[in-house]
Amino acid sequence: FDMFVLAFVERLFRPTYKKDDFVLGKKLGEGAFGSVYRVSLAKRPSSKDGDLVLKKATEYGAVEIWMNERVRRACASSCADFVYGFLESSSKKSSEYWLLWRFEGESTLADLIQSKEFPYNVEAMILGKVSDLPKGIERENRIIQTVMRQLLFALDSLHSTGIVHRDIKPQNIIFSEDSRTFKIIDLGAAADLRVGINYIPKEFLLDPRYAAPEQYIMSTQTPSAPSAPVATALSPVLWQLNLPDRFDIYSTGLIFLQMAFPGLRSDSNLIQFKRQLKRCDYDLVAWRKLVEPRANPDIRRGFELLDLDKGIGWELLASMVRYKARQRVSAKAALAHPYFDKEGLLALSVMQ
Ligand code: ADP
Ligand code: MG
């Protein structure tokens, strides 16, 4: 069967919608490039399972639709389930792109991390029940390890597809209540380097809280976006030269850090951390030497968690948060790290 025929048939049978089909619900997000709402279908407003998420986007919506279509075909389980995207031009104002996803759940990782219950709230969601194991640092480590594995797994499939997300942060990670896993959302800043889509644009979009120190994910020496066929031939080489995927690894390392250190979960403390790290020339080991002697109990607890099992957690974190992109591990290599040798939460629940 031809891939194009398959894609066409699949597209034909997927539901298509238009403006009047939706009843707008709660506003979930509002950015410079669009607004996001929970919506239900006008025809069956009562069915909660049928709920969708609608993003009304500006001109950048076209790229986001393209990325979501690609993810849907190449690595569907790593991102929120994309339903449909179209140009909505019925209003008198300038036209908008409308994007629709399945409503995956109520909570992003940002919501869950901010709760005093973290990481036990996440454990209950992944297992679907409250565990009766004693609370403590070992159990917390196992929960965080499971979240990290899910994130890296999703990231590895995105990167293997040739897509760099560039805006990985807890706000862009949604807990999918159906699959009981974390999925990546918001491909609005993503770049597909294999076909040169969204090559080096919109650097200004990047969230300074989670962005890696390099300003550009591709070296500024690389020529500007070549036309698609040339890019397809060249970009695996460019990928190897520039390792743009390591930008996402840095951000994921910061999420690991925030999960391990309760004291670094607020924006202001994360920003303070980044300032301290910069003063240490982005050397995480030097940062540890700086803060550990006068650390408060929150910070000490983070080191204690990462030091479990001869410090393999700390070792993994340090291999993700490095100044030079090429010294950071890839998502695939991170998944093979000994930190993940121990069984995670799902294995536990099968055993019980
Ligand atoms: P932006 O950050 O550009 O406003 P996002 O795509 O990140 O747009 O969506 C904004 C918010 O909407 C997310 O942080 C999340 O809370 C919610 N959201 C987005 N997609 C989904 C989805 N598929 N299921 C549930 N909630 C979602
Ligand atoms: Mg977002």
Side-chain angles (χ1 to χ4, degrees):
F1 230 151
D2 187 86
M3 273 308 290
F4 289 102
V5 177
L6 271 180
F8 178 74
V9 169
E10 191 263 353
R11 194 70 190 75
L12 204 66
F13 285 96
R14 225 190 299 159
T16 55
Y17 299 103
K18 54 186 189 324
K19 194 178 183 181
D20 299 333
D21 294 339
F22 310 110
V23 179
L24 248 55
K26 188 183 167 204
K27 191 178 239 184
L28 301 172
E30 168 90 85
F33 303 94
S35 326
V36 181
Y37 304 85
R38 184 171 179 169
V39 298
S40 50
L41 291 171
K43 283 183 200 120
R44 16 182 208 112
S46 57
S47 83
K48 280 274 175 265
D49 338 322
D51 271 14
L52 299 170
V53 168
L54 166 68
K55 184 183 270 189
K56 297 182 183 182
T58 59
E59 66 268 28
Y60 293 116
V63 175
E64 200 173 343
I65 291 174
W66 194 94
M67 292 292 165
N68 276 280
E69 287 285 353
R70 177 138 168 72
V71 161
R72 214 194 132 78
R73 263 174 261 131
C75 52
S77 63
S78 35
C79 297
D81 217 351
F82 185 61
V83 177
Y84 185 50
F86 58 99
L87 185 64
E88 212 302 294
S89 45
S90 67
S91 71
K92 284 172 206 80
K93 305 177 297 177
S94 61
S95 50
E96 299 167 318
Y97 287 95
W98 285 28
L99 292 86
L100 290 157
W101 296 265
R102 211 168 55 96
F103 182 81
E104 297 278 359
E106 304 274 353
S107 354
T108 65
L109 185 57
D111 304 324
L112 295 165
I113 279 183
Q114 292 310 325
S115 155
K116 275 199 280 299
E117 293 302 310
F118 184 85
Y120 298 105
N121 55 349
V122 168
E123 184 190 52
M125 291 172 85
I126 291 177
L127 295 177
K129 63 176 183 204
V130 179
S131 157
D132 47 18
L133 294 170
K135 286 194 176 180
I137 211 149
E138 296 264 358
R139 182 168 155 203
E140 287 165 28
N141 186 38
R142 185 166 295 220
I143 302 164
I144 291 170
Q145 183 232 52
T146 304
V147 178
M148 283 304 290
R149 185 190 278 127
Q150 292 183 356
L151 291 186
L152 287 165
F153 185 78
L155 214 52
D156 178 35
S157 25
L158 262 191
H159 292 166
S160 303
T161 304
I163 297 174
V164 184
H165 188 281
R166 302 198 295 183
D167 199 15
I168 294 290
K169 56 184 176 183
Q171 292 78 3
N172 284 340
I173 315 248
I174 190 92
F175 187 77
S176 165
E177 284 163 14
D178 268 7
S179 65
R180 295 191 198 285
T181 56
F182 285 98
K183 292 183 175 182
I184 295 169
I185 56 172
D186 200 353
L187 297 166
D192 187 325
L193 296 143
R194 299 210 173 153
V195 289
I197 297 243
N198 193 2
Y199 196 64
I200 315 185
K202 290 197 285 163
E203 299 294 340
F204 60 90
L205 258 185
L206 304 181
D207 191 314
R209 290 171 300 176
Y210 293 89
E214 65 266 25
Q215 200 183 346
Y216 300 100
I217 59 163
M218 300 292 271
S219 137
T220 46
Q221 312 305 317
T222 29
S224 59
S227 63
V230 178
T232 309
L234 277 181
S235 53
V237 178
L238 290 183
W239 186 286
Q240 275 310 310
L241 277 175
N242 295 288
L243 301 172
D245 56 314
R246 306 301 202 275
F247 191 89
D248 290 343
I249 292 295
Y250 190 94
S251 314
T252 310
L254 293 189
I255 297 178
F256 190 14
L257 183 93
Q258 286 192 298
M259 290 197 289
F261 293 93
L264 297 181
R265 288 182 197 152
S266 70
D267 278 352
S268 55
N269 289 353
L270 182 64
I271 288 163
Q272 194 199 353
F273 161 81
K274 291 200 88 168
R275 234 182 276 129
Q276 288 173 341
L277 189 63
K278 191 173 177 184
R279 245 184 281 131
C280 299
D281 285 326
Y282 295 95
D283 180 344
L284 201 64
V285 175
W287 173 77
R288 180 168 185 164
K289 284 200 187 110
L290 173 78
V291 298
E292 203 169 19
R294 52 189 176 88
N296 60 35
D298 260 8
I299 295 291
R300 250 182 279 131
R301 195 175 161 80
F303 287 125
E304 200 187 320
L305 185 145
L306 293 166
D307 282 345
L308 289 172
D309 304 311
K310 299 187 182 133
I312 45 176
W314 171 256
E315 215 272 333
L316 174 63
L317 176 68
S319 67
M320 298 178 81
V321 183
R322 285 201 174 121
Y323 181 73
K324 286 198 171 135
R326 69 176 45 259
Q327 289 176 355
R328 294 175 210 145
V329 282
S330 66
K332 205 182 288 307
L335 282 170
H337 190 276
Y339 178 64
F340 295 108
D341 285 355
K342 263 196 180 170
E343 278 171 24
L345 288 178
L346 289 178
L348 256 185
S349 71
V350 170
M351 273 157 54
Q352 282 162 1

